[in-house]
Amino acid sequence: MGAVTTSKEPKQDRSRVTRQRLLEAAVACLAEHGWAGSTVSVVAERAGVSRGAAQHHFPTREDLFTAAVEYVAEERSTALRALAPSGPTHRREVVEAVVTLYTGPLFRAALHLWVAASDEEQLRPRVTELEARVGREAHRMTVELLGADESVPGVRETVQGLLDMARGLGLATLLTDDTQRRNRVVAQWARILEKVLD
Amino acid sequence: MGAVTTSKEPKQDRSRVTRQRLLEAAVACLAEHGWAGSTVSVVAERAGVSRGAAQHHFPTREDLFTAAVEYVAEERSTALRALAPSGPTHRREVVEAVVTLYTGPLFRAALHLWVAASDEEQLRPRVTELEARVGREAHRMTVELLGADESVPGVRETVQGLLDMARGLGLATLLTDDTQRRNRVVAQWARILEKVLD
């Protein structure tokens, strides 16, 4: 943003706040009502924003929801980056944090969007591209945080499998609160991962 | 069924065939069009069955689709049971077979139903109960096929993590064909599992 302030800033700030509120409302709608129940009108009302203002920011429903999932992805990445410095002693913590990224309302919203995208031609290419990008970023950060050496054969696939497991654990929480079982699985696989990576 | 035949059998056979066709059509509809696009009428038409006959077998949409997912679960269990005898030398084969159960159109149909159930109060308890049953059965069979000893601490959670990974790999195939990556992950995790279980 730089140090120079202009008279435009308050308006830009308001616009940014409106956009942010729309994105947060879109994520909450998707997580609670799924794709079918999530329209621009519903999201605008939830955000306390007029339909016109919502459409100024996001001309189509697809624009709004892909932006919402991109926002979720960025939030999840920020959460992962905020973790303590990596190193072999922190591996269990890293595994726990990665799994946390795939549970909770953020992942739930993404899941609804994926399933909707698998049937909707208009949505599919955007969500596929976005998911590929998010997947690469999550992988890169997980490797870094685990202090894993991908030049060693098998390490890359070990980390990928961990992320797949995290995704599967996220899916398991969709219908029931599965926290206790999940914690035991995570503890065991963190132990296994420590042995494999050392 | 026993050895005694009665004059009722041909009618029962026809009824069984109709039921089977409805279930197969319901699974195909769910996998292709998701929950929103899957009604009893659409399924009946696809199965070449009258709407009345469909409603005779399944009075409500929820009846039809929970029966369809139960049918899918049984098909998947049968496929798993049909595997070669278990034992340490066949473990990679078992891991591959388990992952196969969580990819392909059968899992895809189940996934659509889970996501729909997470938002639909009428569907949720049935699908949750069904999923718990299917999950227990998949776990039991995987333990048996792997020749895993669950009295050893950690073994139970190791197998659970494997099933979660299989579920996550299934989710990854929802938007893109991910076969090559999946094969590499499965090969690596099968190696890890062999070491852990020996």
Side-chain angles (χ1 to χ4, degrees):
Chain A
M1 298 278 112
V4 182
T5 58
T6 76
S7 61
K8 274 191 171 175
E9 276 216 346
K11 198 178 164 192
Q12 285 179 348
D13 281 349
R14 274 204 305 282
S15 176
R16 212 177 299 128
V17 168
T18 302
R19 191 186 146 88
Q20 170 91 356
R21 273 162 57 189
L22 284 166
L23 294 176
E24 282 170 4
V27 170
C29 271
L30 259 187
E32 281 172 35
H33 309 300
W35 175 250
S38 297
T39 61
V40 175
S41 300
V42 169
V43 171
E45 199 185 324
R46 184 172 189 136
V49 168
S50 74
R51 199 166 189 283
Q55 280 180 325
H56 168 75
H57 283 276
F58 303 104
T60 71
R61 191 185 179 201
E62 286 74 21
D63 290 330
L64 172 59
F65 284 97
T66 45
V69 170
E70 191 151 13
Y71 165 75
V72 167
E74 278 160 18
E75 294 283 294
R76 284 162 65 199
S77 294
T78 306
L80 194 51
R81 267 188 226 106
L83 283 174
S86 66
T89 52
H90 298 89
R91 275 173 179 160
R92 178 167 169 175
E93 212 181 327
V94 172
V95 173
E96 278 169 9
V98 167
V99 170
T100 304
L101 290 192
Y102 287 87
T103 48
L106 296 184
F107 177 75
R108 198 182 170 92
L111 189 55
H112 278 286
L113 198 76
W114 293 344
V115 170
S118 77
D119 302 319
E120 311 242 346
E121 285 309 315
Q122 259 199 302
L123 207 53
R124 192 178 173 130
R126 295 192 198 199
V127 176
T128 303
E129 189 277 324
L130 181 66
E131 241 336 273
R133 188 146 46 88
V134 170
R136 280 193 300 272
E137 172 78 353
H139 182 89
R140 199 189 57 72
M141 283 197 301
T142 306
V143 166
E144 198 180 301
L145 288 165
L146 285 171
D149 179 1
E150 287 203 303
S151 69
V152 175
V155 165
R156 184 173 174 72
E157 289 74 21
T158 303
V159 175
Q160 285 182 334
L162 171 69
L163 288 167
D164 286 306
M165 194 186 69
R167 214 182 280 128
L169 286 165
L171 189 53
T173 64
L174 188 65
L175 294 176
T176 44
D177 178 11
D178 168 72
T179 312
Q180 289 195 314
R181 183 192 78 92
R182 185 170 68 241
N183 289 342
R184 288 194 298 268
V185 171
V186 169
Q188 170 65 4
W189 277 94
R191 273 193 291 273
I192 292 173
L193 212 71
E194 276 176 355
K195 276 188 208 149
V196 173
L197 294 181
D198 281 345
Chain B
M1 295 281 115
V4 182
T5 58
T6 75
S7 62
K8 272 192 174 176
E9 277 217 345
K11 199 180 165 190
Q12 284 179 350
D13 280 349
R14 272 203 307 281
S15 175
R16 212 177 300 128
V17 168
T18 301
R19 191 185 147 87
Q20 169 91 355
R21 273 161 59 187
L22 284 166
L23 294 176
E24 282 171 6
V27 170
C29 270
L30 259 186
E32 282 172 33
H33 310 299
W35 174 252
S38 297
T39 61
V40 176
S41 300
V42 168
V43 171
E45 199 186 323
R46 184 173 189 134
V49 168
S50 74
R51 200 166 188 285
Q55 279 179 328
H56 169 74
H57 283 276
F58 304 103
T60 71
R61 190 186 181 200
E62 286 74 22
D63 289 330
L64 172 58
F65 285 97
T66 46
V69 169
E70 192 151 13
Y71 164 75
V72 167
E74 278 160 19
E75 294 282 294
R76 285 162 65 199
S77 295
T78 306
L80 195 50
R81 267 189 226 106
L83 283 174
S86 66
T89 52
H90 298 89
R91 275 174 178 159
R92 177 167 170 175
E93 212 180 327
V94 172
V95 173
E96 278 169 9
V98 167
V99 170
T100 304
L101 290 192
Y102 287 87
T103 48
L106 296 182
F107 177 76
R108 198 182 170 93
L111 189 55
H112 277 286
L113 198 76
W114 293 344
V115 170
S118 77
D119 304 318
E120 311 242 346
E121 284 312 313
Q122 259 198 301
L123 207 53
R124 192 179 172 127
R126 296 193 196 198
V127 176
T128 303
E129 189 274 324
L130 180 66
E131 241 336 275
R133 189 146 46 87
V134 170
R136 280 193 302 272
E137 172 77 352
H139 183 89
R140 199 189 57 70
M141 283 197 301
T142 306
V143 165
E144 197 179 301
L145 287 167
L146 285 171
D149 179 2
E150 286 204 306
S151 69
V152 176
V155 165
R156 184 174 173 74
E157 289 73 21
T158 303
V159 175
Q160 285 182 334
L162 171 69
L163 288 167
D164 285 307
M165 191 191 69
R167 213 182 280 128
L169 285 167
L171 190 53
T173 64
L174 188 65
L175 294 176
T176 44
D177 177 11
D178 172 68
T179 312
Q180 288 195 315
R181 183 192 78 93
R182 185 170 67 242
N183 289 342
R184 289 193 298 268
V185 171
V186 167
Q188 171 65 4
W189 277 60
R191 273 194 291 273
I192 293 175
L193 209 75
E194 275 176 354
K195 275 188 209 148
V196 173
L197 295 181
D198 281 344

